[in-house]
Amino acid sequence: SRRHSSKAERAHSTMMNSDMDAVEAENQVELEEKTRLINQVLELQHTLEDLSARVDAVKEENLKLKSENQVLGQYIENLMSASSVFQTTDTKSKRK
């Protein structure tokens, strides 16, 4: 009888160890998945930060270029108004 209960105890112990191993393996898989997701979130955050910085730099460059274009436009306008080539002339009235 003692031998029989010992076999039953060992079988029960083996089943419990097997169940615990399965739970441990499942926990390990969950932990790895959580770690992978956390790393993915961190990578996406860094990408977003980089893109935000790039957008800010492009906005700044755009404002600078707009300002330069205004200066160049005014300069060209001044040159055109000072040049006789772009003046409207009435050649018929000068000949008379």
Side-chain angles (χ1 to χ4, degrees), residues 28-46:
Q28 184 64 30
V29 168
E30 285 181 17
L31 181 63
E32 288 171 3
E33 180 67 8
K34 284 179 183 178
T35 302
R36 189 185 68 76
L37 289 172
I38 288 170
N39 287 335
Q40 193 175 5
V41 166
L42 291 172
E43 186 179 332
L44 289 171
Q45 282 179 335
H46 290 126

Side-chain angles (χ1 to χ4, degrees), residues 3 31 38 52 54 59 67 69:
R3 211 173 222 220
L31 181 63
I38 288 170
S52 263
R54 179 73 179 126
K59 281 182 181 178
S67 175
N69 282 343

